[in-house]
Amino acid sequence: MSLAPEDASVHRALGLSDEEYENIHGLLGRHPNHLELAMYSVMWSEHCSYKSSKIHLKRLPTEAPWVLVGPGENAGVIDVGDGIAVAIRIESHNHPSAIEPYQGAATGVGGILRDIFTMGARPIAVMDPLRFGPLDDPRSRWIAEGVISGVSGYGNSVGVPTVGGEVVFDETYKGNPLVNVLAMGTLPVERLVLGRASGVGNLAVLLGASTGRDGIGGVSVLASAGFDETSEDADKRPSVQVGDPFEEKRLLEACLELLDEGLVIGIQDLGGAGITCATSETASRGGAGMDVDISAIHSREEGMEPFELMTSESQERMLAIVEPESLDRVLEISTRWEIAASVIGRVTGDGQLRILDGFDGNVLAELPASTLHDDAPEYDRPLAPPDDLIERRSLDASVGPVDCAANLLALLRDPAWVYSQYDHQLFLNTVVGPGSDGTLLRLRDPKTGRETGRALGMSTDGNHRWCHVDPRQGTAMVVAEAAMNIACVGAEPMAVVNCLNFGNPEHPDVMWQLSEAVDGMSEACTAFNAPVVGGNVSLYNETNAVDIAPTPVVGIIGLHPELSNQPPGITVDSDSMIVLLGQQPKEDVSMAGSLWAWEIGGCKDGTLPEFDLVQTVRTAAFVAEIVQKNRVEAVHDVGEGGLAVALAEMAIQSGIGMLINGFDDHRALFNESGGRVIVALSDTNLESFLKESTNRGVPVQMIGRTGGSSLVLGSTIDLSIAELTSASRDELPQALGQGTVSG
Amino acid sequence: MRFEVKIEVSPRKGIANPEGSTIERTLPALGFKTAGDVRVGKVIRLQVEADSSAAAKTIAQDMCDRFLSNPVIEDASVEVLDT
Amino acid sequence: MRFEVKIEVSPRKGIANPEGSTIERTLPALGFKTAGDVRVGKVIRLQVEADSSAAAKTIAQDMCDRFLSNPVIEDASVEVLDT
Amino acid sequence: MSQRVGVVRFPGTNCEFDTVDAVNELGGQAKVLWHGDSDLGDVDAIVIPGGFAHGDYLRCGAIARFSPIMDSIAAFARNGGPVLGICNGFQVLTEAGLLPGALQKNIGLKFLCCMQQIQFVSTTNIVGVGARVGDLLSIPINHFEGNYVCSEDTLRQLEEENRIVFRYTDNPNGSIGDIAGISNEPGNVVGMMPHPERATSMLLGSNDGSSLIQSLLAAGPIPTA
Ligand SMILES: Nc1ncnc2c1ncn2[C@@H]1O[C@H](COP(=O)(O)OP(=O)(O)O)[C@@H](O)[C@H]1O
Ligand SMILES: [Mg+2]
């Protein structure tokens, strides 16, 4: 093989620093050639190597007796009893979605699903926490509309229901949307497979779509460059990938059939860094090496260069490691599902990843497989809080143009227009779908389909406002909010996955945010006894050198132990009592980080309201229990927009008014002090409920009654249900449903 | 003046075209053994009010770039038809 | 010989064309005040192996009638392009 | 009685197992039929379930209708065998010419997944056993192309021959005449956009779909002219 000594420009153009280049030189004991350099550059990119964040992620709690697979594999896996395991993972597709919103989101869904079936699980749910620039910005509308259509177009067609998510609009995401996608699947515990290649002589079979020039260098270009309006997006055009949900569906069914028949030793999806990543990861995890025949790769275009084939991010491909005896059957199943299959590799015993032109042909690259990720750089980047932190925290976020009724109308936004575009019912598991707090899915045996009488609660949550004000407490509050959402459908937390969406890690304040967020997440996950089983880090979320507000997003999963009927939901009956659970804030509670402060008051800083994590854990446990026992008629947690928004949502969905006493100023109505839940129940049950709640150490307060056709909130708000409804329901269809332009 | 404009939007070369490839895979089963390289695009016809044919083309081109296609993955051609 | 064939499939006159009408409704809001009468169709390009251009057209027409268009809602036109 | 129900699976179908579950739950015996086989085996009825057969590329159902199993289904239908197409299944039946008309994109150009109210217009078909004209049902829809279109002649014929099975009470997709489902003339072939299998348990919000599936199980072959 020809080893050309490198001139400095090549590795830099590929995004490798001089130091990283020296490192490679040392590992190989010689200068790498271009192909080798390309392989290191994709594998050592931020996206694949987590080089800036790894050192912090180690502080997350990751263990519990029910955790079967923690972070580091394609997906986290937990044991939920009855021989059933649940695989779960979340990922970002932020940068691709900024350029081609539909395909960016579509391929985001496709990618995360492969992470799930790679583990041997059938994906049964997707969730899509989405964040866009403001609705009055045309390009942000275009991105939002495209992304939502992309999730819908791909998710519905591939046949996995999208059962929940978030949709947030804020200035901070203008130019840099956040498109995170979570997927969950179930599998019989004994079918768990891991992405490893072992057994010298075993074959690596590339399954699925042909390899084209999609996302060549996409890993480095798309994941490590911010977008500014001056640079022509055109440069990044060839990197866009197009998703094919039909190919994915066939690939999924074929892979599940291969797994059912026990035909694969290991299996790995092809994501970022394509074949380079899949071959090196499977080989090094299995303590093996691999010979890869580049001429065997089925490609979409003529004349593709080896480095293109090795780094292409073409979608809908998988790499299966099979014994030679099984090959015929593997090919038979592939043919039945109309899936292309090529033997592209052989497992070897020497730990080397060799790229060959024909198994007996020229050696194009040769490197120790494990060096591509085990030896990836790890940085302890400088971190520091912003210089003006103290000053910022001293601001009063409660000032602004107070008009409580008008403020309430302005803060309402029903996401139904979004989730009604998603099939959220497929597989007949959706007991509580999008539109309440958590989602609740029947848990059925993945082998027999038999009901277990139990259910899985899920929610995704993020809050850039809280995290901007205080990334540590803000992140803890986000985890608590997620836990409270699933408590509202009767589920107790078991595990968390997270997507850390942050700005440029070369900025010390961004690294500080990330580090603080990790600590806040650790504290809260420990308190809820919900270890982190997986995650994803997305950095360089910036526009014109301005970083986004820190946005850690968590996905939580928990169990409802005994499901006999639908949980109460957020809709109330007439003439019920309304009770508020959880610690009530003082009159002068801080408004910092609240939706009101950002959208109405215009102040983005201050100090977050006090947050009692221990009390919140206790309240969440109590809420889960009363939901399981059907003790209440309705339940809804207080989140964004505070009590006023939560009550309005209940009134709108029920079509029934409320009369609430007290809460006479905007602080009381819109503060976002954590850990509070609204419940509705009948008069006859009230007495005993209040007593029990107090006995359980959960503060409780009777605040009003349902009835009539208006929401009367203290002395400042008296709005008809009709008015509230149109303010909330019409906004998204009016802004996004009428067609959008790219700007 | 009113001009009839025809806009053809097609997937860029090198970009995957799942619809085209699926149709292509189907053709042999229908007895069309001799066809291949299928690409599917969109064609949009509309009327534009403008002072001249050139002005109509400019309007249609703008519509095309900002609304009807995404140049990142699609090529578009605009044609003002004789009337 | 290989011929490049272009097939245009368009919504039948008299049959509602939701895509066209939506674009039409949308255009004014996006600042395109001067356009109307929008119809959205498909264009399918493929290669056909045949002895002559006329033979290629026959094959493509057959494909079109049996598969590529649905006469209940669509009209189709077939064109063999010069090569 | 049509106890044994064949549920057709094309590549891209995704509601086949939900349909199997619903049929089994309601006392039938469902089995999945692969689109590439032409033998229907011993089945008393066929359901073509929802999903995206062949990715719904070109047009929904356009590729599926060429699958080997479709000729057998056509023959089965000609002999009066009960055939129900749900959602994508309805689209396949129109493409295959077993039902008239076509299904276009929703008028709002968005996919729609939500509960929808429909009303029985005709009960002289395989889903109408035990039902009365005017009965209201809440059944989810889940489609992008559910906007039924046909020529005026066809519409008149459907009306005259009492072949409109359901109409929406609040038309979500622009369907001509608010049509949510139709049948062939004898009533043994029915296509409908709403998903009855998704409305078979109060735990999931409605069981109004159960009666339709029970009707299918109760209906025998219908004599054809
Ligand atoms: N992008 C989306 N996709 C699917 N469901 C969504 C989306 N956005 C919001 N939802 C659903 O709408 C409901 C309300 O969302 P949200 O206001 O974020 O809830 P909460 O404040 O309780 O976390 C939830 O059930 C959520 O899953
Ligand atoms: Mg909530």
Side-chain angles (χ1 to χ4, degrees):
Chain A
M1 72 205 259
S2 65
L3 297 177
E6 273 314 313
D7 57 298
S9 60
V10 176
H11 71 260
R12 288 194 200 134
L14 286 170
L16 290 164
S17 68
D18 293 352
E19 197 191 338
E20 287 166 348
Y21 180 82
E22 274 317 310
N23 214 337
I24 295 167
H25 187 188
L27 286 168
L28 296 180
R30 58 174 166 81
H31 287 286
N33 64 24
H34 282 191
L35 175 57
E36 289 161 344
L37 210 50
M39 290 165 68
Y40 279 105
S41 91
V42 289
M43 289 299 293
W44 287 11
S45 69
E46 189 63 61
H47 180 77
C48 285
S49 73
Y50 295 88
K51 57 191 171 192
S52 302
S53 55
K54 222 189 286 179
I55 192 163
H56 298 291
L57 298 177
K58 288 175 186 155
R59 299 200 300 275
L60 292 169
T62 58
E63 280 167 21
W66 53 90
V67 174
L68 299 176
V69 177
E73 290 280 348
N74 296 293
V77 182
I78 56 172
D79 186 338
V80 294
D82 291 337
I84 305 169
V86 166
I88 185 166
R89 175 85 199 261
I90 190 168
E91 262 211 342
S92 64
H93 234 214
N94 305 338
H95 293 147
S97 304
I99 305 176
E100 215 306 309
Y102 185 99
Q103 295 298 343
T107 52
V109 175
I112 195 71
L113 292 176
R114 291 191 291 281
D115 281 324
I116 299 302
F117 65 85
T118 292
M119 305 304 289
R122 174 177 284 279
I124 59 168
V126 164
M127 298 179 98
D128 65 335
L130 306 176
R131 294 177 159 74
F132 308 109
L135 279 173
D136 59 15
D137 170 43
R139 187 163 176 96
S140 295
R141 286 201 298 271
W142 177 75
I143 292 175
E145 199 276 333
V147 163
I148 292 161
S149 302
V151 173
S152 165
Y154 199 100
N156 298 344
S157 174
V158 77
V160 182
T162 301
V163 299
E166 292 174 90
V167 55
V168 174
F169 299 90
D170 193 281
E171 194 66 32
T172 192
Y173 306 117
K174 191 170 169 174
N176 196 121
L178 299 184
V179 176
N180 295 173
V181 195
L182 174 148
M184 184 274 280
T186 53
L187 68 154
V189 170
E190 74 275 5
R191 197 171 77 183
L192 184 59
V193 270
L194 299 174
R196 44 198 56 160
S198 51
V200 172
N202 283 341
L203 306 173
V205 184
L206 180 63
L207 299 165
S210 54
T211 300
R213 289 194 174 90
D214 308 305
I216 299 289
V219 175
S220 10
V221 177
L222 289 177
S224 10
F227 300 114
D228 48 30
E229 279 137 27
T230 51
S231 94
E232 193 27 71
D233 276 355
D235 300 342
K236 301 182 175 109
R237 281 174 191 174
S239 299
V240 174
Q241 308 141 39
V242 169
D244 181 355
F246 177 48
E247 179 82 36
E248 177 106 334
K249 170 71 171 166
R250 286 178 289 122
L251 183 62
L252 182 155
E253 297 298 343
C255 287
L256 291 177
E257 230 168 275
L258 297 178
L259 291 159
D260 272 340
E261 294 194 17
L263 295 168
V264 302
I265 310 277
I267 188 163
Q268 167 82 39
D269 62 302
L270 279 77
I275 296 176
T276 302
C277 182
T279 52
S280 64
E281 270 191 19
T282 46
S284 72
R285 281 199 194 119
M290 194 179 291
D291 283 356
V292 176
D293 172 10
I294 206 149
S295 68
I297 297 170
H298 46 279
S299 62
R300 196 169 71 229
E301 292 176 73
E302 308 267 295
M304 285 182 65
E305 298 285 334
F307 87 86
E308 292 179 318
L309 290 164
M310 287 304 293
T311 62
S312 158
E313 292 190 345
S314 287
Q315 298 291 305
E316 291 99 21
R317 298 178 300 162
M318 298 284 283
L319 188 74
I321 310 298
V322 308
E323 290 173 344
E325 307 83 82
S326 311
L327 183 63
D328 285 345
R329 182 65 190 142
V330 168
L331 297 179
E332 216 173 293
I333 290 175
S334 308
T335 306
R336 182 172 125 97
W337 284 104
E338 301 171 32
I339 286 295
S342 326
V343 177
I344 66 155
R346 285 189 195 141
V347 179
T348 63
D350 63 3
Q352 293 292 102
L353 178 63
R354 256 183 305 268
I355 312 304
L356 309 158
D357 187 11
F359 279 119
D360 303 317
N362 285 339
V363 178
L364 305 176
E366 173 162 9
L367 38 87
S370 63
T371 59
L372 286 171
H373 42 115
D374 295 352
D375 293 303
E378 195 170 306
Y379 295 128
D380 188 0
R381 297 197 187 270
L383 55 87
D387 298 336
D388 58 351
L389 186 65
I390 294 178
E391 191 186 317
R392 282 207 221 159
R393 289 200 170 163
S394 67
L395 294 175
D396 177 6
S398 69
V399 291
V402 176
D403 174 345
C404 294
N407 296 166
L408 174 58
L409 291 175
L411 296 181
L412 291 173
R413 179 180 294 139
D414 185 346
W417 182 81
V418 178
Y419 62 73
S420 63
Q421 295 179 48
Y422 303 155
D423 182 349
H424 49 261
Q425 301 167 330
L426 186 67
F427 302 142
L428 309 185
N429 293 327
T430 312
V431 178
V432 180
S436 318
D437 289 312
T439 291
L440 192 68
L441 303 176
R442 298 202 274 188
L443 176 63
R444 295 197 287 162
D445 187 310
K447 256 191 309 206
T448 60
R450 194 176 35 84
E451 285 188 55
T452 59
R454 299 183 297 140
L456 297 170
M458 296 172 75
S459 177
T460 59
D461 290 273
N463 190 309
H464 63 288
R465 293 179 289 267
W466 300 344
C467 294
H468 168 83
V469 172
D470 181 343
R472 183 169 185 148
Q473 185 183 323
T475 305
M477 288 170 65
V478 163
V479 173
E481 155 111 37
M484 200 62 92
N485 274 332
I486 65 168
C488 288
V489 293
E492 298 152 21
M494 287 190 84
V496 160
V497 291
N498 71 93
C499 200
L500 300 176
N501 305 280
F502 286 79
N504 187 334
E506 294 152 38
H507 299 165
D509 60 322
V510 169
M511 282 314 294
W512 171 79
Q513 292 166 346
L514 188 136
S515 169
E516 290 282 290
V518 165
D519 288 333
M521 190 177 298
S522 299
E523 287 157 15
C525 288
T526 305
F528 280 102
N529 201 11
V532 175
V533 297
N536 173 249
V537 180
S538 170
L539 302 176
Y540 297 98
N541 291 291
E542 55 184 341
T543 314
N544 295 332
V546 178
D547 295 304
I548 60 159
T551 315
V553 170
V554 301
I556 196 166
I557 187 158
L559 259 184
H560 184 310
E562 207 185 326
L563 183 72
S564 48
N565 39 4
Q566 282 193 313
I570 79 169
T571 54
V572 296
D573 298 331
S574 244
D575 218 18
S576 300
M577 307 307 295
I578 300 201
V579 168
L580 188 52
L581 294 173
Q583 191 63 55
Q584 298 317 308
K586 302 201 190 71
E587 266 173 36
D588 62 348
V589 59
S590 167
M591 297 289 282
S594 67
L595 187 64
W596 188 93
W598 279 50
E599 303 266 305
I600 311 279
C603 175
K604 301 193 169 178
D605 289 287
T607 301
L608 288 179
E610 275 171 48
F611 178 57
D612 185 340
L613 186 53
V614 174
Q615 176 62 53
T616 303
V617 171
R618 207 182 298 140
T619 305
F622 181 63
V623 168
E625 190 185 313
I626 59 176
V627 169
Q628 288 159 15
K629 294 188 177 153
N630 269 301
R631 297 280 308 275
V632 292
E633 288 170 2
V635 53
H636 190 23
D637 75 323
V638 177
E640 277 183 359
L643 189 70
V645 165
L647 288 167
E649 287 169 350
M650 296 176 84
I652 292 168
Q653 233 181 69
S654 330
I656 294 173
M658 299 179 175
L659 177 60
I660 308 288
N661 311 309
F663 306 98
D664 289 320
D665 70 354
H666 70 293
R667 277 183 197 264
L669 290 167
F670 300 112
N671 84 78
E672 294 180 13
S673 172
R676 293 177 297 163
V677 176
I678 303 161
V679 299
L681 69 173
S682 68
D683 271 320
T684 43
N685 295 332
L686 185 66
E687 196 75 18
S688 66
F689 183 82
L690 295 178
K691 205 186 277 163
E692 187 178 349
S693 174
T694 308
N695 287 344
R696 295 286 297 276
V698 177
V700 61
Q701 184 187 354
M702 240 227 1
I703 60 169
R705 184 178 269 288
T706 63
S709 58
S710 302
L711 176 66
V712 181
L713 252 172
S715 54
T716 57
I717 295 178
D718 182 347
L719 291 163
S720 72
I721 302 295
E723 232 174 322
L724 291 164
T725 303
S726 66
S728 137
R729 296 223 169 130
D730 297 345
E731 187 175 12
L732 290 183
Q734 274 168 10
L736 303 174
Q738 323 284 320
T740 54
V741 283
S742 63
Chain B
M1 279 185 288
R2 269 179 108 64
F3 295 89
E4 163 113 8
V5 177
K6 180 176 150 189
I7 299 169
E8 196 179 319
V9 180
S10 52
R12 283 190 115 187
K13 268 243 172 308
I15 293 264
N17 182 223
E19 181 155 25
S21 355
T22 304
I23 293 173
E24 194 171 319
R25 269 205 315 277
T26 308
L27 288 170
L30 307 188
F32 299 106
K33 307 240 181 299
T34 58
D37 207 5
V38 184
R39 318 270 302 159
V40 181
K42 251 189 324 213
V43 54
I44 302 150
R45 284 164 190 277
L46 46 82
Q47 308 271 331
V48 171
E49 190 75 40
D51 292 339
S52 66
S53 162
K57 183 155 180 171
T58 310
I59 294 175
Q61 187 69 52
D62 182 38
M63 223 178 255
C64 194
D65 294 344
R66 289 170 54 213
F67 174 49
L68 299 173
S69 76
N70 183 357
V72 171
I73 51 167
E74 292 164 330
D75 286 325
S77 70
V78 175
E79 198 183 332
V80 179
L81 304 176
D82 303 332
T83 31
Chain C
M1 279 186 292
R2 269 183 108 61
F3 294 89
E4 162 114 6
V5 178
K6 179 175 144 186
I7 298 165
E8 196 180 319
V9 179
S10 52
R12 272 214 137 146
K13 277 248 176 304
I15 291 274
N17 179 223
E19 242 174 315
S21 8
T22 302
I23 292 178
E24 195 171 318
R25 247 182 299 124
T26 306
L27 285 169
L30 301 180
F32 300 108
K33 307 239 180 304
T34 56
D37 205 6
V38 186
R39 318 277 303 162
V40 180
K42 262 187 301 227
V43 51
I44 303 163
R45 284 165 190 278
L46 46 82
Q47 308 270 335
V48 170
E49 191 78 39
D51 291 339
S52 66
S53 163
K57 179 151 185 173
T58 311
I59 294 175
Q61 186 68 54
D62 183 32
M63 227 179 253
C64 194
D65 296 343
R66 284 172 51 209
F67 178 44
L68 298 176
S69 72
N70 179 351
V72 176
I73 45 171
E74 294 167 329
D75 287 324
S77 71
V78 174
E79 195 182 336
V80 179
L81 304 176
D82 303 333
T83 30
Chain D
M1 294 279 277
S2 306
Q3 291 297 309
R4 294 164 304 180
V5 178
V7 178
V8 183
R9 185 183 207 194
F10 298 95
T13 298
N14 62 33
C15 297
E16 68 273 44
F17 297 111
D18 292 358
T19 308
V20 165
D21 285 350
V23 166
N24 289 344
E25 189 84 359
L26 293 166
Q29 295 143 31
K31 78 169 187 196
V32 171
L33 303 176
W34 182 243
H35 79 115
D37 297 334
S38 38
D39 184 6
L40 301 180
D42 298 329
V43 297
D44 309 312
I46 296 278
V47 178
I48 307 182
F52 290 72
H54 296 277
D56 273 357
Y57 288 132
L58 190 60
R59 297 179 307 278
C60 306
I63 300 178
R65 92 169 151 101
F66 293 106
S67 284
I69 201 163
M70 288 308 296
D71 286 337
S72 313
I73 291 176
F76 181 80
R78 268 197 304 280
N79 292 326
V83 177
L84 172 62
I86 300 170
C87 195
N88 197 221
F90 185 9
Q91 294 160 345
V92 172
L93 290 174
T94 60
E95 279 284 339
L98 291 171
L99 290 173
L103 291 136
Q104 274 200 308
K105 289 197 172 119
N106 297 342
I107 194 91
L109 277 195
K110 293 286 170 211
F111 192 98
L112 284 175
C113 177
C114 54
M115 191 61 90
Q116 204 69 42
Q117 195 181 54
I118 56 174
Q119 185 160 34
F120 256 114
V121 181
S122 162
T123 57
T124 54
N125 53 60
I126 52 166
V127 293
V129 177
R132 275 182 314 232
V133 170
D135 283 355
L136 292 169
L137 307 170
S138 283
I139 300 188
I141 56 164
N142 185 68
H143 59 244
F144 202 152
E145 282 99 349
N147 177 354
Y148 184 76
V149 283
C150 63
S151 67
E152 276 176 26
D153 288 346
T154 305
L155 183 62
R156 202 170 317 114
Q157 193 181 6
L158 288 175
E159 274 165 355
E160 279 164 8
E161 293 172 359
N162 200 20
R163 289 164 55 188
I164 296 171
V165 182
F166 304 108
R167 291 191 209 266
Y168 301 107
T169 56
D170 183 11
N171 190 339
N173 55 25
S175 282
I176 192 167
D178 304 325
I179 288 175
I182 58 170
S183 74
N184 65 350
E185 207 195 333
N188 67 313
V189 177
V190 167
M192 62 187 293
M193 288 315 294
H195 283 257
E197 84 282 6
R198 293 189 179 192
T200 52
S201 152
M202 285 317 288
L203 198 54
L204 306 178
S206 166
N207 56 18
D208 287 0
S210 300
S211 63
L212 305 185
I213 293 172
Q214 276 158 344
S215 161
L216 177 72
L217 296 177
I222 294 184
T224 49

